[in-house]
Amino acid sequence: SMASRLITIKTFSSRMEAEMAKQLLASFGILSFVSADDAGGMRPAPFAYSAGAELVVREEDAEKSISILHSAS
Protein backbone atom coordinates (compact mmCIF):
# COMPACT_ATOMS: atom_id res chain seq x y z
CA SER A 1 0.00 0.00 0.00
CA MET A 2 1.03 3.62 -0.37
CA ALA A 3 0.68 4.24 3.36
CA SER A 4 3.99 2.87 4.58
CA ARG A 5 4.88 3.23 8.23
CA LEU A 6 7.89 5.45 8.82
CA ILE A 7 10.44 4.43 11.40
CA THR A 8 13.57 6.04 12.83
CA ILE A 9 16.59 3.88 12.12
CA LYS A 10 19.31 6.05 13.61
CA THR A 11 19.80 9.20 15.67
CA PHE A 12 22.78 11.38 14.78
CA SER A 13 24.46 14.06 16.86
CA SER A 14 24.26 16.54 14.01
CA ARG A 15 21.97 17.25 11.12
CA MET A 16 24.96 17.19 8.75
CA GLU A 17 25.74 13.57 9.66
CA ALA A 18 22.11 12.62 9.10
CA GLU A 19 22.09 14.35 5.70
CA MET A 20 25.23 12.43 4.69
CA ALA A 21 23.55 9.15 5.63
CA LYS A 22 20.49 10.23 3.66
CA GLN A 23 22.68 10.76 0.57
CA LEU A 24 24.26 7.35 1.07
CA LEU A 25 20.87 5.65 1.21
CA ALA A 26 19.74 7.63 -1.85
CA SER A 27 22.68 6.19 -3.79
CA PHE A 28 21.13 2.76 -3.10
CA GLY A 29 17.73 3.99 -4.26
CA ILE A 30 16.28 4.30 -0.76
CA LEU A 31 14.18 7.33 0.12
CA SER A 32 14.77 8.68 3.62
CA PHE A 33 13.93 11.77 5.63
CA VAL A 34 15.84 13.79 8.21
CA SER A 35 13.85 14.84 11.24
CA ALA A 36 15.69 17.43 13.33
CA ASP A 37 12.93 18.63 15.63
CA ASP A 38 13.86 18.27 19.29
CA ALA A 39 10.15 18.41 20.22
CA GLY A 40 10.69 21.19 22.74
CA GLY A 41 12.59 18.99 25.18
CA MET A 42 9.83 16.38 25.35
CA ARG A 43 12.10 13.62 24.11
CA PRO A 44 13.90 11.27 26.51
CA ALA A 45 16.83 12.54 28.54
CA PRO A 46 19.89 12.13 26.31
CA PHE A 47 18.20 13.83 23.37
CA ALA A 48 15.95 16.30 25.18
CA TYR A 49 17.71 19.51 24.15
CA SER A 50 20.30 18.26 21.71
CA ALA A 51 20.55 19.45 18.13
CA GLY A 52 20.42 15.83 17.05
CA ALA A 53 18.74 14.58 13.92
CA GLU A 54 16.89 11.37 13.23
CA LEU A 55 17.03 9.41 10.00
CA VAL A 56 13.62 8.05 9.06
CA VAL A 57 12.82 5.47 6.37
CA ARG A 58 9.82 3.49 5.20
CA GLU A 59 9.36 0.34 7.24
CA GLU A 60 10.00 -1.93 4.26
CA ASP A 61 13.39 -0.22 3.66
CA ALA A 62 14.50 -0.29 7.29
CA GLU A 63 16.43 -3.56 7.34
CA LYS A 64 18.37 -2.78 4.16
CA SER A 65 19.02 0.79 5.32
CA ILE A 66 20.42 -0.33 8.66
CA SER A 67 22.80 -2.79 7.00
CA ILE A 68 23.99 -0.13 4.51
CA LEU A 69 24.72 2.32 7.33
CA HIS A 70 26.34 -0.38 9.42
CA SER A 71 28.74 -1.42 6.66
CA ALA A 72 29.60 2.22 5.93
CA SER A 73 30.53 3.11 9.50
Side-chain angles (χ1 to χ4, degrees), residues 16-42:
M16 193 175 77
E17 284 178 279
E19 294 285 356
M20 285 168 57
K22 178 182 174 178
Q23 294 300 320
L24 176 64
L25 293 182
S27 73
F28 286 88
I30 296 174
L31 180 65
S32 62
F33 310 90
V34 174
S35 169
D37 183 7
D38 70 1
M42 294 297 289

Side-chain angles (χ1 to χ4, degrees), residues 1-72:
S1 76
M2 294 292 289
S4 299
R5 278 186 40 197
L6 297 175
I7 58 174
T8 299
I9 53 165
K10 189 163 182 179
T11 302
F12 296 86
S13 54
S14 75
R15 185 177 187 112
M16 193 175 77
E17 284 178 279
E19 294 285 356
M20 285 168 57
K22 178 182 174 178
Q23 294 300 320
L24 176 64
L25 293 182
S27 73
F28 286 88
I30 296 174
L31 180 65
S32 62
F33 310 90
V34 174
S35 169
D37 183 7
D38 70 1
M42 294 297 289
R43 287 165 64 194
F47 306 115
Y49 294 103
S50 78
E54 293 178 345
L55 191 63
V56 179
V57 299
R58 292 176 305 201
E59 189 171 34
E60 60 266 29
D61 292 330
E63 207 168 317
K64 184 179 177 188
S65 300
I66 289 166
S67 67
I68 289 168
L69 295 179
H70 186 71
S71 58

